[in-house]
Amino acid sequence: MEQIKGIFKKATLVAVIILIYGVVIKNEYVYVGMFSGAIMSIFMFYMICIDIKSIAASESVSRKRGFLGYAKRYLVYGIYLGAMAKFFGLPMLLGSAIGLLNVKIIILLTTLSENIKRLRDKFLR
């Protein structure tokens, strides 16, 4: 549970950094596209956590419930990216898609960091 809270904190920090960076360089693709993508990524990760809690709390775990949660999240992703492409164009779509990778990159970097620390402690001490 602490790792999930840490992921939320780090992802929120990265989203704020993206917003500040976009405002400083005055690029709407960064501060609108990437920032909204990062916020959407955090929201979708929250939806995954809620789905996992509901599946774990229920006595009968069904594939249908898991698939519906999965389909719902990807439908929201599709609507979001479609709206960005329709109203703002291809550059905003690309910025938004990069922003959607926020939580995934945080999880990857956290895992790599923990593995590097484990290897360092194992072989260098």
Side-chain angles (χ1 to χ4, degrees), residues 64-106:
K64 183 179 178 182
R65 177 180 268 172
F67 178 75
L68 287 176
Y70 177 82
K72 180 174 51 172
R73 286 191 307 275
Y74 278 90
L75 179 67
V76 172
Y77 280 140
I79 291 170
Y80 168 73
L81 288 174
M84 288 305 220
K86 179 168 177 56
F87 295 117
F88 298 107
L90 182 64
M92 189 68 77
L93 171 70
L94 294 175
S96 300
I98 292 170
L100 285 175
L101 298 174
N102 180 24
V103 170
K104 292 170 181 61
I105 292 171
I106 296 294

Side-chain angles (χ1 to χ4, degrees), residues 105-121:
I105 292 171
I106 296 294
I107 292 170
L108 175 70
L109 292 177
T110 303
T111 304
L112 285 175
S113 173
E114 289 173 1
N115 287 338
I116 289 171
K117 286 179 186 176
R118 190 176 313 124
L119 288 172
R120 182 194 66 196
D121 291 342

